[in-house]
Amino acid sequence: HGLLVAPVIVLVAGLLRGVDGAASAALALAVLVLNFLAAALSLEWGARRSGNALFAVALGGFLLRMVSILVVILLAQALFGWVDVVVLGVTLFLTHLGLLFWELRSVSFSLAAPGLQRDRPAPSARTEDA
């Protein structure tokens, strides 16, 4: 989903803050995609192991991914003169929230699908006491 809105985000950042803003927004989007990919892969791995592994991966992975995002921001600011830290931070924050809400909508829709609900006997198969 992030790839659908990425060109618009980079274009808007470029119009508002110039080439450095566009490049910083593109860097933020790359970090965002890598963060979501790392989350998906680690949670899938944990889910295949056990409930405890899933719990540990969810909490520990979240902490590690947030620290890695902070490290990317600090390294980008220190190593590259073109990074607009404001655009980078705002883009990371808003796109994370936006994609989380977008995915939340997808997940809540799939959980409400009839195929995923608990099996209930058909009305004709019920027996009533007389």
Side-chain angles (χ1 to χ4, degrees):
H1 293 140
L3 296 176
L4 299 174
V5 296
V8 175
I9 292 170
V10 172
L11 180 65
V12 169
L15 291 173
L16 294 175
R17 303 287 281 209
V19 175
D20 292 347
S24 298
L27 176 61
L29 291 169
V31 170
L32 169 83
V33 169
L34 289 174
N35 184 31
F36 272 73
L37 182 62
L41 292 175
S42 63
L43 289 173
E44 179 186 15
W45 179 87
R48 291 180 190 269
R49 300 304 178 267
S50 69
N52 288 337
L54 177 62
F55 180 70
V57 167
L59 290 179
F62 176 77
L63 179 63
L64 286 175
R65 288 190 318 275
M66 292 303 110
V67 168
S68 67
I69 287 173
L70 178 64
V71 168
V72 166
I73 291 172
L74 295 175
L75 280 175
Q77 184 181 15
L79 297 177
F80 306 116
W82 53 262
V83 172
D84 188 339
V85 178
V86 173
V87 172
L88 181 65
V90 168
T91 303
L92 276 170
F93 179 72
L94 292 179
T95 53
H96 267 87
L97 282 180
L99 282 177
L100 284 174
F101 281 112
W102 193 338
E103 292 298 322
L104 176 66
R105 202 178 81 172
S106 299
V107 169
S108 65
F109 174 73
S110 66
L111 290 177
L116 297 178
Q117 291 180 355
R118 184 172 51 127
D119 290 333
R120 296 181 190 150
S124 61
R126 291 185 201 164
T127 57
E128 296 182 19
D129 293 328

